[in-house]
Amino acid sequence: SKQKIAAGATAIRLKFEDLTGAAAMSQLSGIELASRQVGRQFVDTAALANAFAANSDFAVVEMVKARLTSVEAAVRAMSSTDEDIRHKIKDIDTGITAYIAAFDELVGKSQLVIALVSDAAGIAEQITEGSGALKAELMTEQKLFEDQSNAIVAQTKTLVAALGAGGFALGALLAWILGRGISMPMTRMCAAMHELAAGKFDLVLPGLGRKDEIGEMAAAVERFKKQTIEKAEREAAQQEALNEANREA
């Protein structure tokens, strides 16, 4: 759509210049003056449309539409008995109609992108909240495992005093292994969820296929990712169908 806007503006400007030159050669001063004035008005309006295409500033949308409507009306008000002049006026009118449709399409797509970005931000917030709660739960379980490991160490020291030092080392190693087995998958899952929230929907979530809580979380996030992708595709297809229907109308 951005390319259509830029290319369409250039083509219409050249058509105005052609009409102005032809009117001058035919000594049609009224058409020449009108073409020159309306052409300048269109060039100014196209500059605003190009600015919108560059930065999606919706504050200028209504102004651009109003000016394009004014330009279209001014072109249709031009009339001449010269067949060549009439053909050039008609050609400009057709080009402006196509330009207006292209600008409307660009505005619609920009609105859709903003809506999708807003939805993604909401999804990111929900995922962050969910991951925080799950991480707290897993840390609680990790602490429980550590407490159980420390209890095993204490019992071992009591029952086998001669192996007390070795039992303590074994218990500490067990606590480290258990903690690492929980924290590392959780860290990878959090990183993947942040990438998903940033819009990277093609990633493969770590933990898929596991039969524990990490696997359940990965499966839930995978379903959420697929639903988000399907929703975006449906909305894009609906917008494209609406734009096509508007162009045919």
Side-chain angles (χ1 to χ4, degrees):
S1 294
K2 292 181 180 180
Q3 289 77 7
K4 288 182 181 179
I5 290 295
T10 300
I12 293 172
R13 177 179 60 79
L14 293 176
K15 289 176 182 179
F16 269 116
E17 292 177 357
D18 183 43
L19 175 61
T20 301
M25 291 183 62
S26 300
Q27 297 183 347
L28 299 173
S29 58
I31 296 295
E32 178 185 1
L33 178 60
S35 176
R36 197 182 304 278
Q37 291 177 341
V38 178
R40 281 198 297 265
Q41 184 180 355
F42 173 77
V43 169
D44 292 341
T45 304
L48 288 176
N50 289 336
F52 172 79
N55 55 34
S56 296
D57 183 5
F58 284 90
V60 304
V61 169
E62 293 304 321
M63 182 186 301
V64 171
K65 289 184 176 182
R67 290 190 178 187
L68 288 175
T69 300
S70 176
V71 169
E72 185 178 44
V75 170
R76 292 176 178 176
M78 296 181 190
S79 63
S80 175
T81 57
D82 187 300
E83 183 177 352
D84 182 57
I85 296 297
R86 287 201 309 270
H87 176 75
K88 293 181 185 299
I89 292 173
K90 178 62 176 177
D91 195 24
I92 292 174
D93 184 27
T94 301
I96 290 176
T97 299
Y99 185 85
I100 291 173
F103 182 73
D104 289 340
E105 180 182 359
L106 176 62
V107 172
K109 288 184 177 180
S110 297
Q111 290 172 334
L112 178 61
V113 168
I114 290 176
L116 291 175
V117 169
S118 178
D119 289 345
I123 293 171
E125 183 177 355
Q126 294 174 10
I127 291 176
T128 300
E129 292 176 355
S131 64
L134 180 59
K135 185 175 182 179
E137 181 179 350
L138 291 176
M139 293 303 295
T140 299
E141 293 182 5
Q142 179 179 343
K143 181 63 168 61
L144 177 61
F145 285 140
E146 291 177 351
D147 291 343
Q148 291 174 346
S149 298
N150 291 334
I152 292 174
V153 172
Q155 292 173 5
T156 302
K157 289 177 65 176
T158 301
L159 295 174
V160 189
L163 300 177
F168 179 81
L170 178 62
L173 177 61
L174 177 61
W176 179 81
I177 293 174
L178 290 172
R180 186 176 178 84
I182 294 174
S183 62
M184 287 187 66
M186 184 59 206
T187 300
R188 289 195 294 267
M189 178 62 68
C190 288
M193 287 189 290
H194 280 294
E195 289 186 20
L196 181 60
K200 188 178 180 181
F201 293 108
D202 58 344
L203 62 84
V204 177
L205 293 171
L208 283 175
R210 290 180 58 149
K211 302 301 182 182
D212 54 8
E213 291 85 357
I214 296 295
E216 292 178 359
M217 177 184 178
V221 175
E222 178 69 15
R223 291 194 298 271
F224 195 77
K225 181 187 76 173
K226 290 181 178 179
Q227 292 172 359
T228 302
I229 294 173
E230 292 172 356
K231 178 182 176 184
E233 291 176 345
R234 286 197 304 272
E235 291 179 351
Q238 291 172 358
Q239 182 63 41
E240 184 64 27
L242 179 59
N243 291 337
E244 183 65 25
N246 289 336
R247 286 194 296 270
E248 292 177 356

